[in-house]
Amino acid sequence: MSKKMVIQQPNHFVQAVTSNQWSSEICDCTQDMSSCCFAFWCFPCFTCITAREAGECLCLPLLDGFGYIPPATMSMRVGMRQRYGIEGTMCNDCVYSFFCLPCTWCQMSREMKTRLQPITLINAHTR
């Protein structure tokens, strides 16, 4: 009498981790030094590229020069919070946009990179 052994491998699965908080704090520039340096050395270029990557008009950040509170930065931050379901208030968005303009753009850039990372499945078969 022979015994038959059946081994069943677990199936692949993808677990999406979503959070209702920003993935990084406003001053966590060390998490992405290349973007932080780019924002420091050429802030207008950085904001335009970040806006384009977010699906907005390339020139949208240039409108920030027409208001006391940067309207494009604030609207981008509010839109990003709504898109990703991040908790917060427009009051906080206004304060960050006014007092921490470069840090706000760097945080939005980091958030997009974190939330839009491609999913890679690795399947290792050894024979």
Side-chain angles (χ1 to χ4, degrees):
M1 182 153 108
S2 69
K3 290 186 176 182
K4 187 175 183 182
M5 182 183 291
V6 177
I7 299 174
Q8 187 174 11
Q9 295 290 327
N11 291 329
H12 301 288
F13 69 96
V14 176
Q15 181 177 1
V17 178
T18 57
S19 173
N20 61 353
Q21 300 297 319
W22 291 94
S23 63
S24 63
E25 295 296 322
I26 194 80
C27 293
D28 283 345
C29 289
T30 57
Q31 288 186 1
D32 188 3
M33 285 301 288
S34 61
S35 293
C36 184
C37 288
F38 183 29
F40 179 77
W41 292 109
C42 190
F43 186 66
C45 296
F46 178 76
T47 58
C48 290
I49 290 170
T50 303
R52 185 182 63 202
E53 289 173 351
E56 300 295 336
C57 176
L58 176 71
C59 299
L60 178 68
L62 301 178
L63 296 174
D64 278 347
F66 295 110
Y68 189 66
I69 296 171
T73 302
M74 188 171 161
S75 65
M76 284 278 301
R77 189 172 166 86
V78 169
M80 192 165 292
R81 278 194 312 100
Q82 289 179 345
R83 179 183 302 160
Y84 298 129
I86 298 171
E87 290 181 356
T89 63
M90 285 184 69
C91 182
N92 285 346
D93 296 331
C94 181
V95 169
Y96 286 137
S97 298
F98 181 75
F99 289 107
C100 308
L101 188 65
C103 294
T104 299
W105 279 96
C106 287
Q107 183 187 34
M108 290 190 293
S109 174
R110 287 190 307 270
E111 193 67 30
M112 284 189 300
K113 288 178 183 177
T114 300
R115 302 262 181 166
L116 299 176
Q117 287 181 348
I119 298 170
T120 304
L121 294 177
I122 300 172
N123 188 7
H125 284 273
T126 56
R127 291 185 185 215

